[in-house]
Amino acid sequence: MGYPKKPVVLVVDDTIANIRILDDLLRGEYTVRVATNGATALRLALSEPRPDIVLLDIMMPDMDGYEVCRRLKSDPLTSNIAVVFITAMGNEEHEAKGLDLGAVDFIAKPFQPRLVRARVSNHVALKKYNESSIRWSRNAPRNCIFPVP
């Protein structure tokens, strides 16, 4: 009898200390994979098992988090992965840009452990709910009649 797989969290940050903090906070409940740059993040996002959520730093060398998010959201294989920016840049302009690119949330640095766990849990649960709703609607009988409120 197989056990349910843990949800996969991809942590992308060029600062090893941030990766360690997030890994320590999440590894018991999630499978945590890490990348220290955008190119590696994109490769890991396409590999199996695909992440359920990406915690993505904005400021990274070579390819910033905005570009990583843009590429994830433009690829049909990764477009449904929830992206949450992790950043010390907490102003409205940065948040609006990230949300416009398809991110679902922001987590501020320095990290607040309860908030990190709650936001990751909520977005993973929402993703699973959406996936089960899509599966159900695809498998629903064609003559199924839904009541109109």
Side-chain angles (χ1 to χ4, degrees):
M1 184 168 156
Y3 294 96
K5 292 188 284 186
K6 291 180 183 180
V8 177
V9 177
L10 174 57
V11 175
V12 186
D13 198 313
D14 60 324
T15 304
I16 299 301
N18 290 334
I19 290 173
R20 285 190 180 132
I21 290 168
L22 292 170
D23 182 54
D24 287 345
L25 287 173
L26 302 171
R27 79 176 116 160
E29 193 171 339
Y30 304 95
T31 297
V32 178
R33 297 167 76 191
V34 301
T36 56
N37 60 63
T40 302
L42 293 170
R43 184 176 47 76
L44 289 174
L46 286 166
S47 65
E48 294 293 337
R50 289 205 177 87
D52 294 286
I53 187 169
V54 176
L55 302 182
L56 179 60
D57 187 23
I58 293 175
M59 295 186 339
M60 294 186 297
D62 300 325
M63 185 186 316
D64 67 18
Y66 294 130
E67 180 61 18
V68 174
C69 184
R70 187 191 67 70
R71 290 185 189 192
L72 288 170
K73 294 303 175 181
S74 67
D75 187 328
L77 295 174
T78 58
S79 63
N80 69 333
I81 299 171
V83 174
V84 175
F85 280 114
I86 51 175
T87 184
M89 302 184 326
N91 70 40
E92 188 177 312
E93 182 180 322
H94 292 289
E95 286 191 32
K97 182 175 181 176
L99 295 171
D100 287 344
L101 288 169
V104 296
D105 207 347
F106 278 76
I107 295 175
K109 295 177 187 176
F111 301 119
Q112 300 297 316
R114 288 179 58 201
L115 290 178
V116 170
R117 287 188 196 104
R119 288 189 174 165
V120 170
S121 175
N122 288 342
H123 288 298
V124 168
L126 183 59
K127 180 178 185 278
K128 293 205 178 301
Y129 173 80
N130 287 337
E131 287 174 349
S132 67
S133 295
I134 290 168
R135 265 193 311 276
W136 183 87
S137 66
R138 286 183 184 150
N139 296 324
R142 296 295 171 225
N143 60 352
C144 186
I145 299 173
F146 298 97
V148 177

